[in-house]
């Protein structure tokens, strides 16, 4: 059974300050005002500065047949952000990653929750991935130019930050001294 069909999936409920409320929410039910849930995205880059993307199955409710970031999904009850991201990568791609010492590179607040984005660099042989048939029909590596063409052609889920995703990876992933209080990277 796929996540979209799993009506028994429960999410932890957070308040607006991202504190757990101790309550649970059943996936598919309308969320109460002031209740939020956690979503995660993982962007896997390789050492050649390519991004691993996946093509969603045609029967997926959201963005069918579209290309998407490496892996994504909702955190289930009891998940930390890191656990949820690791689980989604394992479920969708069959790839084991370790995010125990990682924080999300950024979080986007959306009307009903928080969306944590992880960016990792890992050389992956896509021929060895075990794709989750219910959700993923294909994967491929793309360079920035190809990604932008896919966005323009309407083939890629239109995240508003995609034109900057390679730069975000470089800025946050570098070992340079950063002074973000003044917007300066040295």
């Amino acid at each position: 059974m796929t996540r979209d069909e799993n009506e028994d999936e429960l999410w932890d409920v957070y308040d607006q300050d991202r504190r757990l409320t101790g309550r649970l929410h059943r996936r598919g039910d309308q969320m109460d005002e002031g209740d939020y849930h956690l979503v995660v995205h993982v962007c896997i880059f390789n050492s050649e500065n390519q991004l691993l993307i996946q093509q969603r199955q045609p029967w997926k409710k959201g963005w069918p047949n579209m290309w998407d970031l490496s892996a994504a999904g909702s955190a289930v009850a009891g998940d930390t952000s890191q656990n949820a991201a690791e689980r989604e990568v394992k479920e969708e791609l069959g790839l084991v990653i370790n995010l125990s010492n990682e924080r999300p590179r950024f979080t986007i607040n959306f009307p009903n929750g928080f969306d944590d984005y992880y960016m990792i660099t890992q050389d992956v042989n896509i021929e060895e991935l075990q794709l989750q048939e219910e959700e993923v029909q294909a994967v491929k590596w793309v360079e920035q130019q190809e990604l932008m063409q896919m966005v323009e052609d309407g083939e890629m889920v239109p995240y508003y930050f995609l034109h900057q995703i390679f730069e975000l990876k470089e800025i946050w992933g570098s070992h340079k001294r950063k002074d973000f209080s003044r917007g300066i990277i040295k």
Side-chain angles (χ1 to χ4, degrees), residues 8 26 29 32 34-35 43 46 48 53 64 66 71 81 86 92 102 119 122 126 128 135 149 151 169:
D8 293 327
R26 185 173 312 282
D29 292 349
D32 292 336
D35 284 353
C43 302
N46 65 19
E48 296 177 26
I53 59 174
M66 299 282 285
S81 175
E86 291 170 348
E92 294 179 9
E102 297 288 330
M119 294 185 176
Q122 185 169 335
I126 61 175
E128 295 176 3
E135 294 194 28
Q149 188 62 53
V151 170
K169 176 215 166 237

Side-chain angles (χ1 to χ4, degrees), residues 102-119:
E102 297 288 330
R103 292 177 47 203
R105 295 297 169 101
F106 59 95
T107 299
I108 296 177
N109 296 324
F110 63 97
N112 294 109
F114 311 96
D115 194 347
D116 287 346
Y117 286 80
Y118 292 87
M119 294 185 176

